[in-house]
Amino acid sequence: MIGIFGIILSLALLMYLAYRGWSVIILAPLLSLLAVIFAGFAGEDVHLLATYTERFMVSLAGYVKSYFPVFLLGALFGKVMDDTGAAKSIATVISEKVGKGKEIWAVVLSCAVITYGGVSLFVAAFAIYPIGAALFKKADIPKRLLPPAIALGAFTFTMTAVPGTPQIQNAIPMKFFETDLFAAPILGIVATAIMMFGGVFWLNSRAKKARAMGEGYGDHADSHLHGEDKDKLPSFGASILPILVVLIGNFVFTKFVFAHTDAAYLEEQYNTTLGAVLGNWSLITALICGVLLAIVLNLKRFEKGVMTTIKEGVQGSFLAVMNTASEVGYGNVIKSLGAFALVAAFMTDVSSNPLVGEAISSSVLAGITGSASGGLSIALETFGETFLQRAMDSGISPEVLHRVAAIACGGLDTLPHNGAVITLLGITGMTHKECYVNIGMCTVVIPTIAVIVIILLGTVGIV
């Protein structure tokens, strides 16, 4: 019991201190070692320095090795799209086309388009917020519904469910199941529809209720916002083309280019297979093409210069990957403790259906780490082979495992201590008290419903 108490205390402190603004890079190793100390009180043989250097840091380094190129290129792409005004151009056109009375749809779709194209959710929040604030203020929709709308468009279906999305959460399962970003497209589309329409329905019902009670946009200090002169923005065509290149390029590289490559040398020299690296290679190549095209099309729009944008994008990727890698290191230390065996036994044996156990482990570990990608990595590294074998024995496709794992990690990840939630509230100038109930409904409750539905469909063979 002392060991379990240590894990709970460590996790509670991680949530609370991260919520208070402490750096996860500092918190993760310290609090993982706190749990180790309690394990020592419970009679386990513990070695703090060895745990830090040989377990925490090894796990951290392994995550960086596997996913840093995706973080780097994603950050570069997002920074280029942001600095050149391409992201704002796309959002502006969508908001105009959607029309009056559909402001919530405009915000959600704007976020969805640019994040599906590979732009990070943080860039989406920064880019869409000024436009969304202007739309909500003009329509007199409560500002407290703006962060949930941004979260719905950026943190949910385009992060985990839409087939082909280049976000890291959809990339991680590839090396464990030898799948690609387009795995289980029918299940992905079903989950997308549940999350998108369910979330918008919820937010529209909240807006309607607020309107009936006489609540409007509210008195907020939005003076720091400044409108973007449309004439200074790149055209919609030039803005959307790099995104299309990433999406279409990824499909072409996955299905037609690398898939037909003679890769026997991978097993002989690198101890891996083409299936294990195919998805990652395709995504990296497509992102490179997207970044280069975005730079070429907007060469004259870099106010600070191309090299400054590239430098800032590279620097931004360091913080993003290290935050997540630190959470992975934390989770791997926790999973090495004897008390975690009880949690692991529950997650693997809770159901004879491997999809249920996989969904629970992916979601719970994402909640523990406060990171969808971090929790997913730990879940698949710990239980991936077990779930794959059970799925094969049950006649369930690895593609279904991929899609369920990806979507499930996007449930409990956005608990109040989640870094993306805290950042979003900071950007919009709102608080957890004002917004989190609706954020939680759109990013935790409805995605969990989507997971349940696709588990039922995947179990009967729908892919």
Side-chain angles (χ1 to χ4, degrees):
M1 285 302 295
I2 295 177
I4 292 178
F5 175 77
I7 292 175
I8 294 172
L9 177 62
S10 170
L11 175 60
L13 286 172
L14 178 63
M15 290 183 179
Y16 174 74
L17 293 175
Y19 171 78
R20 299 290 297 177
W22 287 52
S23 170
V24 171
I25 296 174
I26 295 174
L27 289 176
L30 293 177
L31 293 177
S32 66
L33 294 181
L34 175 64
V36 171
I37 291 172
F38 274 88
F41 293 152
E44 291 188 43
D45 187 19
V46 300
H47 307 279
L48 294 182
L49 287 176
T51 298
Y52 176 66
T53 61
E54 305 307 312
R55 184 156 285 143
F56 181 91
M57 287 305 302
V58 168
S59 299
L60 180 150
Y63 186 87
V64 173
K65 176 258 180 187
S66 295
Y67 302 112
F68 178 65
V70 177
F71 276 90
L72 173 63
L73 293 168
L76 281 174
F77 186 57
K79 189 62 178 172
V80 170
M81 294 291 286
D82 190 21
D83 281 4
T84 60
K88 286 187 175 67
S89 175
I90 294 170
T92 300
V93 170
I94 290 175
S95 64
E96 290 176 348
K97 296 297 183 183
V98 169
K100 184 179 178 181
K102 297 180 180 178
E103 292 79 10
I104 290 174
W105 269 112
V107 171
V108 172
L109 291 177
S110 296
C111 289
V113 168
I114 62 176
T115 51
Y116 185 48
V119 175
S120 77
L121 52 90
F122 296 104
V123 171
F126 275 107
I128 303 304
Y129 169 51
I131 298 165
L135 287 172
F136 274 46
K137 192 170 186 177
K138 185 176 181 180
D140 206 26
I141 298 172
K143 188 183 177 183
R144 62 184 175 82
L145 296 178
L146 180 55
I150 293 174
L152 174 60
F155 300 179
T156 60
F157 54 94
T158 57
M159 186 177 81
T160 62
V162 187
T165 178
Q167 297 295 333
I168 189 70
Q169 293 79 6
N170 191 36
I172 288 171
M174 296 190 298
K175 79 170 186 177
F176 296 96
F177 304 133
E178 297 194 358
T179 48
D180 57 49
L181 296 179
F182 301 90
I186 296 175
L187 296 184
I189 292 169
V190 170
T192 295
I194 292 171
M195 286 187 264
M196 181 170 64
F197 290 105
V200 171
F201 174 81
W202 173 263
L203 292 177
N204 277 330
S205 69
R206 298 303 91 190
K208 183 177 180 181
K209 182 177 179 180
R211 191 177 301 113
M213 297 179 67
E215 181 186 359
Y217 183 79
D219 184 17
H220 300 282
D222 290 331
S223 58
H224 63 288
L225 298 178
H226 56 277
E228 191 84 33
D229 187 347
K230 280 183 59 179
D231 294 334
K232 294 182 180 180
L233 294 174
S235 68
F236 179 77
S239 300
I240 201 73
L241 189 57
I243 286 178
L244 295 176
V245 165
V246 172
L247 295 174
I248 297 173
N250 179 54
F251 181 80
V252 171
F253 287 123
T254 299
K255 301 295 185 181
F256 303 105
V257 179
F258 293 127
H260 301 292
T261 300
D262 182 5
Y265 68 91
L266 286 173
E267 292 189 52
E268 298 169 1
Q269 300 179 37
Y270 298 97
N271 194 32
T272 188
T273 64
L274 180 61
V277 299
L278 174 64
N280 217 25
W281 285 6
S282 300
L283 179 54
I284 289 170
T285 309
L287 281 170
I288 289 173
C289 293
V291 169
L292 292 176
L293 181 60
I295 291 174
V296 170
L297 292 177
N298 298 284
L299 201 55
K300 297 180 180 180
R301 298 184 183 277
F302 292 91
E303 294 183 4
K304 297 176 290 186
V306 176
M307 291 311 300
T308 299
T309 292
I310 291 175
K311 180 181 177 181
E312 291 177 354
V314 170
Q315 291 173 339
S317 72
F318 293 155
L319 182 60
V321 73
M322 287 304 296
N323 275 333
T324 305
S326 294
E327 290 166 338
V328 169
Y330 170 86
N332 275 286
V333 171
I334 297 299
K335 82 172 187 180
S336 71
L337 303 179
F340 184 78
L342 299 175
V343 180
F346 168 76
M347 290 191 289
T348 54
D349 298 331
V350 65
S351 171
S352 59
N353 186 336
L355 298 180
V356 175
E358 182 190 48
I360 291 174
S361 63
S362 178
S363 190
V364 167
L365 288 168
I368 288 175
T369 61
S371 165
S373 57
L376 178 59
S377 293
I378 296 168
L380 296 186
E381 286 171 2
T382 308
F383 310 118
E385 289 186 12
T386 300
F387 291 135
L388 179 60
Q389 184 58 54
R390 292 181 180 179
M392 300 300 287
D393 293 342
S394 303
I396 296 173
S397 167
E399 290 196 1
V400 177
L401 284 174
H402 175 130
R403 190 56 54 204
V404 169
I407 296 173
C409 80
L412 295 182
D413 67 311
T414 42
L415 292 175
H417 69 295
N418 174 261
V421 171
I422 294 170
T423 300
L424 173 61
L425 293 174
I427 292 169
T428 57
M430 304 299 285
T431 66
H432 280 78
K433 182 178 180 181
E434 292 171 310
C435 302
Y436 188 74
V437 169
N438 291 306
I439 290 176
M441 179 59 70
C442 292
T443 66
V444 177
V445 176
I446 295 175
T448 299
I449 294 171
V451 171
I452 294 171
V453 172
I454 66 167
I455 287 175
L456 295 174
L457 296 176
T459 300
V460 299
I462 295 176
V463 179

